[in-house]
Amino acid sequence: MSQLAYVAPSSPEEAATALAATGARPLSGGTDLLVQLRAGRVKPDVIVDLKRVAGAIGIREEAGGYVIGGATSGAVLGEHVGLVRAWPGVVEGANLIGSTQVQGRASLAGNLCNASPAADGVPALIAARATCVIVGPNGRREAPVEAIATGPGQTSLSPGEFILEFRLPPRPARASDAYLRLIPRTEMDIAVAGVGVNLVLDAQGRVAQAHVALGAVAPTALLVAEAGAALVGGRLDEASLAAMEAAARAACRPISDKRGTANYRTRIAGVLARRAALIAFARAGGQL
Amino acid sequence: MSETLEKPAAAAVLNVVGTRPIRPDGADKVTGRATYGADFNMPGQLVGKILRSPHAHARIVSIDAGKARGLPGVKAVVTAADFPDLASEMHEGGEQASNLRDLSLNVMARGKALYDGHAVAAVAAVSTEVADAALALIKVTYEVLPHVTEVEDAMASGAPLLHAHLFTEGLPAKPASASNIARRHYNERGDIAQAFAAADVVVEQRYTTQAVHQGYIEPHACVAAWAEDGRCEVWSSSQGQFMVRTYCAKVLGREISDIRVTPAEIGGGFGGKTTVYLEPVALALSRASGHPVKMVMSRDEVFRATGPTSGSVMHVKLGATADGTITAAKVELKFQAGAFPGSPVGAACMTALACYDLANFTITGWDVVTNTPKVAAYRAPGAPIVAFAVESAVDELAVKLGMDPIAIREKNAVHNGTKAAYGPTFQNIGYVETLAAIRDSDHYKAPLGRNQGRGLAVGFWFNIGGESTAAVHIGEDGSAVVVTGNPDIGGSRASMAMMAAETLGLPVERVRPMIADTASIGYSMLTGGSRTTFATGMAVVQAAEQVVAELRKRAAKLWETTVEQVEWKGGQARCLDPAKPDKKPLTLEALAAQSGRMGGPISAQVSLNAQGAGPGFGVHLCDVEVDPDTGRVDVVRYTAAQDVGKAIHPAYVEGQVQGGVAQGVGWALNEAYIFDRDGKMENAGFLDYRMPVASDLPMLDTILVEVPNPRHPFGAKGVGEVPIVPPLAAVANAVRAAIGVRMPDLPLSPPVVLAAMDRRQG
Ligand SMILES: Cc1cc2nc3c(=O)[nH]c(=O)nc-3n(C[C@H](O)[C@H](O)[C@H](O)COP(=O)(O)OP(=O)(O)OC[C@H]3O[C@@H](n4cnc5c(N)ncnc54)[C@H](O)[C@@H]3O)c2cc1C
């Protein structure tokens, strides 16, 4: 019978070395990995637990922006007052994962690297223009979040590489974000569609920058530039919202499966984009 | 909110019955000490695992287990060849009869696999890893056959035939050829043609529901040991240890007395644990290996190979006069039975119109086999399905007539003395009282918000009595143990202890309820049909009464008076003899302490066949809010009223009502078996088989209406099944009210509701 080894390195470099071995697999919260292991869907030889790696857990401010350790649990994110104030959408995406128990473990790096098209933590991170700090056998590199997942269960990480942390850009005044998903139930379910919207307003309360990212409507989460552009310059009047909704729908390339038909997913993506934009706008304007 | 509306009835003062003590099984459950099916282990036990068909319908050409047997650590492999080939024989097990041949073929496929997940072989090995590796080494050669999963497709001529020798029963003449239609049920009264012709309003609609699973949290699990001399021991989680004993004996060709079954704590059954899947296989593996064998299903196996209840296609046509009198009803039901005959369509036919006093109706039911798992009982089997159709139709009639949904039901309600559509004449029913309870509720009068709608539906279930045994033993210190043969799936241990305590005059804390193995208590039918508090409760009370009679006899002896001069009150014997005014009352403790000198242990056992179970009626009111852009439905308020006869432990009765509603809401909104083109189940897990989670539901309010059943010592009626009957229709009627479109196809998932709103907009 096969053997399974477990290591818990304390430095990023040791972790990269351990991960370079064949059959090595990084572990953060384990809420995906352990489930897949038990179901026999993955058969790693070595599990490299990243939770003791320096910097992998925790939230700090650096150069005016927040840095989030890749293995930080949803519960910790939700309790960070400053992060919640600056990035309520990023946090609500992470906090929608699973249930109270799952929140004690589930991380954003795990959510991203599991590479489910429906990952709830990812669209808001993309809309936030977050980047990942990747550590590997050849050192460190930084990449935008949307560059990581390349398809269901597939990432662009090379053997030995893992995500050490996420970097969120500095937050100007009058800026906020929101994430919404649709599930048939209220929790413990997988998104039919999910949308993150990130807005920065100017002094007059008009949208200066807008980013819209969609989940569960394509093989990977999508950053839809046209949808963001449709909102810029206005105050979310009906015409710009309708244009944004249309752009969001036009970008959708979903599959039909037991969780929803392609048509339904596309339509819902538009509905959620509009609603998330209105929430982000109200938050940025200080109304929420 | 919860309330109890009591009818002024028996004036007897009750000290225990009707109160809310802590459940006797509670501490073990919340501390994790309770021993469920998978918690039991034997020294030297092996792990048993089942190889399941990956095909919905296939001929088993050959099974080559040579390599598996050769794998180190593998101790046995069994297939159908290791079980006797039984003849067709019906067995009455309690709520539903089953054919023993079909039961055995479902336990292990013989010649043909009839659904994705059907057991074709099993192994026993020293570890899970070895057992899994052995399964992969068994080579089964299949000839894949065309399959059919949908009920109407299975009825069509030219459909793939599951059983070459299945000829429809219940037709005027035996049909010329075999088909997938196992039976036709038919019942009629009056002349519907004339009544429809004379009706002012007619509604007619086709309805569909999907197969749904009972969804108990505990997967099936057992340990079985076959001794060298042929004695068999089974430890398992089921709704009836005697049922397990009988079925194991039949499937393996053993004597009943050879087999002893010990019930484990049970983590939910809802009807789904009224049959066997693993136990005979574990015994066969134990016989072949010489070791005890433990088997535990995965959730995937539970979904693919146990339960569910039927999917259905139904047609309902109702006619009424302008004043709301329903004058004609035509009901046709087509139910998926799964791989073997025996869908609950018969019970559905009987319950279909049970709430209505009708002069003219026809009810036709079709029991149809399909390449899906054989259905098992699920709470009020068949009744929720047909109530969905009939209650939607009555709602439609009320809409067309501009009538209040309670008024139309009151106008057509059955009363005491009404001859029910299914035959008997109702007595001591509390239906109109239950309708009135909802009409008088705050909920019924509360205003609705935007995008909200309110739906009402009613439901009926027979409830049964049947064979039960109970024993009451008094300890030397005057405490009591109550022993029954009925697994506790709904709080029955609490009610057994309470009824015994009430009768003995003891505080309930001094009465310990126990559920014994098949060698330690007399036969009892399984826990099902909402029978335990009624029937087993009756045996408990009679046993306690025998104990009281013995105690009075002993007190009379001590006091040198007659038994008639001794009364039992408040747990004490009191001397009524005017000639002996100095005799102080004798407590149970005092009498128990001297039992050795007074004729020995104080103990009584009663076996009976309880008759006269009172049928139950429920009236449910549901408010939903529908998201106009996504079609997502939220249940925002729910009130369920039910005639319970007498709530022995009101909190657990409320729990039964709330549990039934929660399951019914899941059935209405999101639960469904999904099969792919090859007939494989696509959603065999709780992620995509969407049962409600706690946060999906509002507080489920209950109103307990108490119209006593005079046949039970305290007036109890069965309560566990009625509450799942109305919710499907209550939710669907609420959605109709919210969006203005009748919703005839369950589940009402967001895309379905959005599509209906689109149709309304044109
Ligand atoms: C009951 C339940 C409910 C759930 N509900 C949701 C939900 O609502 N929404 C949702 O999106 N998900 C849900 N999930 C899935 C899962 O919880 C999330 O994807 C979670 O964010 C995964 O994080 P983790 O830390 O547990 O990842 P892990 O399981 O530790 O890892 C996931 C994958 O990422 C890899 N990995 C982990 N850390 C790193 C790293 N730092 N660098 C590179 N690769 C890494 C692992 O090797 C593995 O392949 C649910 C899971 C469960 C069990």
Side-chain angles (χ1 to χ4, degrees):
Chain A
M1 297 290 117
S2 63
Q3 294 285 318
L4 178 60
Y6 169 88
V7 292
S10 53
S11 77
E13 293 69 29
E14 284 172 85
T17 308
L19 281 170
T22 47
R25 218 32 210 271
L27 170 88
S28 287
T31 60
D32 278 316
L33 190 64
L34 297 186
V35 174
Q36 292 161 9
L37 194 73
R38 291 219 178 94
R41 273 188 282 149
V42 296
K43 295 188 168 67
D45 300 312
V46 188
I47 283 186
V48 181
D49 189 343
L50 301 175
K51 289 193 286 295
R52 293 192 200 155
V53 170
I57 289 186
I59 300 159
R60 63 181 200 276
E61 280 190 78
E62 208 177 281
Y66 279 103
V67 180
I68 302 172
T72 311
S73 73
V76 170
L77 298 178
E79 284 171 8
H80 195 286
V81 178
L83 184 71
V84 171
R85 195 180 307 123
W87 298 101
V90 169
V91 176
E92 70 198 350
N95 283 173
L96 278 175
I97 295 169
S99 58
T100 304
Q101 293 97 318
V102 173
Q103 279 293 305
R105 286 281 173 184
S107 70
L108 284 174
N111 196 234
L112 177 62
C113 297
N114 185 56
S116 157
D120 281 310
V122 175
L125 276 178
I126 293 176
R129 310 307 301 122
T131 61
C132 322
V133 174
I134 300 161
V135 177
N138 303 321
R140 293 182 183 223
R141 64 183 179 100
E142 202 165 328
V145 169
E146 61 272 24
I148 302 301
T150 54
Q154 306 292 322
T155 71
S156 58
L157 298 179
S158 312
E161 284 191 326
F162 71 97
I163 293 175
L164 177 65
E165 58 196 23
F166 294 96
R167 290 175 176 268
L168 290 162
R171 210 60 171 141
R174 292 179 298 279
S176 199
D177 65 345
Y179 175 75
L180 287 178
R181 68 166 178 186
L182 183 110
I183 55 172
R185 290 182 289 195
T186 47
E187 59 178 359
M188 303 295 280
D189 215 330
I190 187 159
V192 172
V195 182
V197 177
N198 176 26
L199 300 178
V200 179
L201 310 188
D202 64 18
Q204 286 72 47
R206 282 187 301 254
V207 176
Q209 292 172 33
H211 297 284
V212 176
L214 311 179
V217 291
T220 65
L222 301 174
L223 178 67
V224 187
E226 301 75 13
L231 297 177
V232 173
R235 292 190 177 84
L236 267 56
D237 52 282
E238 180 50 37
S240 65
L241 279 172
M244 188 272 300
E245 221 182 300
R249 288 193 175 128
C252 295
R253 293 174 274 122
I255 52 164
S256 285
D257 70 1
K258 56 185 182 268
R259 292 170 184 153
T261 61
N263 276 339
Y264 185 72
R265 286 182 194 273
T266 303
R267 182 156 161 194
I268 295 308
V271 171
L272 296 181
R274 172 188 286 260
R275 290 180 180 179
L278 288 166
I279 295 169
F281 187 73
R283 284 175 177 164
Q287 295 152 33
L288 272 181
Chain B
M1 181 199 74
S2 84
E3 49 185 294
T4 303
L5 307 178
E6 206 165 339
K7 295 279 285 187
V13 182
L14 297 173
N15 295 313
V16 182
V17 166
T19 66
R20 299 169 179 242
I22 288 174
R23 61 194 308 150
D25 47 313
D28 273 2
K29 283 179 174 163
V30 299
T31 57
R33 177 188 286 273
T35 309
Y36 291 91
D39 293 328
F40 187 80
N41 295 297
M42 287 271 284
Q45 79 191 10
L46 302 174
V47 175
K49 289 240 169 187
I50 290 189
L51 183 68
R52 298 183 180 279
S53 168
H55 305 295
H57 196 190
R59 196 170 309 287
I60 301 169
V61 179
S62 64
I63 302 177
D64 178 357
K67 277 198 182 143
R69 285 183 212 277
L71 187 71
V74 173
K75 303 291 182 187
V77 180
V78 298
T79 66
D82 297 277
F83 295 85
D85 194 353
L86 299 182
S88 183
E89 181 196 337
M90 291 308 287
H91 179 263
E92 290 290 338
E95 206 166 16
Q96 281 178 318
S98 47
N99 185 311
L100 293 170
R101 176 174 171 74
D102 292 346
L103 183 88
S104 112
L105 292 179
N106 195 37
V107 163
M108 194 57 75
R110 186 183 293 276
K112 260 207 324 184
L114 293 164
Y115 55 93
D116 162 48
H118 199 167
V120 295
V123 303
V126 293
S127 70
T128 305
E129 289 73 22
V130 175
D132 283 335
L135 291 185
L137 290 175
I138 299 176
K139 190 169 160 25
V140 184
T141 307
Y142 293 101
E143 176 196 338
V144 178
L145 302 169
H147 70 278
V148 60
T149 55
E150 298 300 319
V151 66
E152 285 188 324
D153 295 346
M155 294 173 80
S157 66
L161 271 193
L162 273 77
H163 305 284
H165 304 292
L166 188 66
F167 291 86
T168 311
E169 291 182 39
L171 292 176
K174 185 179 172 182
S177 54
S179 75
N180 292 321
I181 305 172
R183 176 180 284 276
R184 184 190 77 140
H185 297 259
Y186 185 74
N187 184 17
E188 63 171 18
R189 183 187 286 173
D191 178 349
I192 59 163
Q194 205 180 346
F196 276 122
D200 297 318
V201 193
V202 173
V203 296
E204 187 169 6
Q205 178 69 50
R206 175 183 194 266
Y207 299 88
T208 62
T209 67
Q210 301 301 314
V212 298
H213 198 271
Q214 294 79 349
Y216 30 82
I217 291 298
E218 183 197 20
H220 300 256
C222 70
V223 177
W226 187 302
E228 283 71 9
D229 64 358
R231 276 176 306 111
C232 299
E233 294 263 8
V234 177
W235 295 262
S236 80
S237 163
S238 79
Q239 286 176 237
Q241 59 272 44
F242 292 93
M243 171 277 297
V244 173
R245 184 179 70 167
T246 304
Y247 286 162
C248 286
K250 297 285 184 184
V251 169
L252 294 159
R254 305 299 303 174
E255 295 255 333
I256 293 274
S257 59
D258 285 342
I259 302 177
R260 173 172 163 191
V261 182
T262 304
E265 188 61 69
I266 179 167
F270 311 109
K273 292 180 184 164
T274 57
T275 187
V276 291
Y277 300 100
L278 296 178
E279 290 89 344
V281 180
L283 280 171
L285 286 169
S286 177
R287 174 177 53 187
S289 66
H291 290 269
V293 173
K294 178 168 179 171
M295 301 187 81
V296 181
M297 281 197 197
S298 66
R299 182 61 57 185
D300 176 89
E301 291 181 286
V302 171
F303 274 114
R304 287 167 65 213
T306 77
T309 192
S310 306
S312 72
V313 174
M314 303 178 278
H315 289 88
V316 176
K317 182 178 176 185
L318 298 178
T321 51
D323 69 348
T325 306
I326 302 174
T327 49
K330 183 173 180 227
V331 177
E332 185 176 17
L333 312 175
K334 302 164 186 171
F335 277 29
Q336 248 176 357
F340 301 96
S343 77
V345 73
C349 288
M350 290 168 77
T351 60
L353 301 170
C355 296
Y356 298 94
D357 186 1
L358 298 174
N360 308 289
F361 62 79
T362 64
I363 306 171
T364 312
W366 303 96
D367 183 29
V368 183
V369 294
T370 49
N371 292 114
T372 55
K374 160 81 172 85
V375 301
Y378 182 15
R379 265 184 132 153
I385 303 171
V386 68
F388 164 62
V390 169
E391 291 303 295
S392 293
V394 172
D395 192 67
E396 189 63 27
L397 210 50
V399 170
K400 278 207 169 170
L401 289 163
M403 262 182 103
D404 171 87
I406 292 185
I408 193 169
R409 287 172 174 86
E410 281 179 330
K411 187 155 196 73
N412 297 285
V414 290
H415 297 89
N416 290 328
T418 304
K419 187 169 162 51
Y422 68 98
T425 300
F426 283 128
Q427 296 297 345
N428 307 303
I429 61 171
Y431 177 40
V432 290
E433 290 84 345
T434 309
L435 280 168
I438 287 291
R439 194 191 42 228
D440 298 341
S441 69
D442 292 342
H443 183 176
Y444 201 62
K445 295 159 209 148
L448 286 165
R450 263 190 65 184
N451 300 319
Q452 293 186 350
R454 177 167 295 157
L456 181 129
V458 303
F460 163 87
W461 187 246
F462 318 94
N463 302 321
I464 60 169
E467 297 166 69
S468 281
T469 304
V472 174
H473 308 301
I474 305 297
E476 307 91 281
D477 61 355
S479 62
V481 175
V482 175
V483 187
T484 71
N486 281 104
D488 177 0
I489 56 171
S492 59
R493 262 169 295 188
S495 55
M496 296 306 129
M498 291 170 75
M499 288 185 278
E502 187 74 62
T503 309
L504 295 169
L506 281 180
V508 70
E509 297 75 23
R510 299 208 69 205
V511 182
R512 275 281 163 200
M514 280 267 314
I515 301 156
D517 66 78
T518 53
S520 306
I521 186 78
Y523 177 81
S524 300
M525 282 162 59
L526 55 74
T527 301
S530 300
R531 61 177 292 277
T532 302
T533 298
F534 175 73
T536 308
M538 198 183 273
V540 165
V541 170
Q542 289 185 14
E545 283 169 352
Q546 287 187 12
V547 165
V548 167
E550 176 65 22
L551 291 165
R552 286 171 61 213
K553 211 167 81 192
R554 293 185 183 193
K557 209 166 168 188
L558 280 170
W559 289 330
E560 295 173 330
T561 181
T562 60
V563 171
E564 291 70 38
Q565 298 290 6
V566 179
E567 95 172 324
W568 189 261
K569 212 172 166 190
Q572 297 179 325
R574 293 169 200 229
C575 189
L576 303 176
D577 191 342
K580 305 189 187 263
D582 56 330
K583 297 295 179 201
K584 295 247 154 50
L586 273 168
T587 60
L588 185 50
E589 286 95 320
L591 286 164
Q594 43 192 314
S595 57
R597 271 173 282 129
M598 301 217 50
I602 306 164
S603 171
Q605 174 159 326
V606 169
S607 293
L608 50 69
N609 188 354
Q611 302 298 312
F617 292 83
V619 180
H620 291 199
L621 192 62
C622 172
D623 294 354
V624 300
E625 186 168 319
V626 180
D627 185 324
D629 302 320
T630 67
R632 213 176 153 281
V633 175
D634 251 322
V635 174
V636 294
R637 188 168 182 182
Y638 203 105
T639 306
Q642 186 173 320
D643 171 28
V644 301
K646 170 74 189 171
I648 305 298
H649 192 306
Y652 301 157
V653 174
E654 287 156 11
Q656 285 294 308
V657 175
Q658 291 168 323
V661 172
Q663 289 183 310
V665 168
W667 200 335
L669 290 182
N670 285 304
E671 289 179 44
Y673 267 56
I674 304 171
F675 295 99
D676 70 10
R677 288 216 325 263
D678 298 326
K680 293 190 199 182
M681 188 181 180
E682 277 198 274
N683 57 336
F686 281 139
L687 180 56
D688 285 304
Y689 180 87
R690 295 194 160 80
M691 295 184 69
V693 295
S695 53
D696 289 351
L697 297 166
M699 181 62 190
L700 302 171
D701 295 326
T702 59
I703 304 173
L704 305 184
V705 179
E706 297 192 316
V707 177
N709 174 12
R711 303 292 294 272
H712 183 270
F714 298 107
K717 296 174 180 169
V719 301
E721 291 175 289
V722 178
I724 202 174
V725 182
L728 286 60
V731 171
N733 289 343
V735 172
R736 196 227 64 93
I739 69 172
V741 185
R742 176 64 51 200
M743 301 302 293
D745 302 302
L746 297 186
L748 304 180
S749 62
V752 169
V753 175
L754 192 64
M757 288 192 282
D758 288 348
R759 285 201 301 278
R760 177 194 59 193
Q761 266 127 30

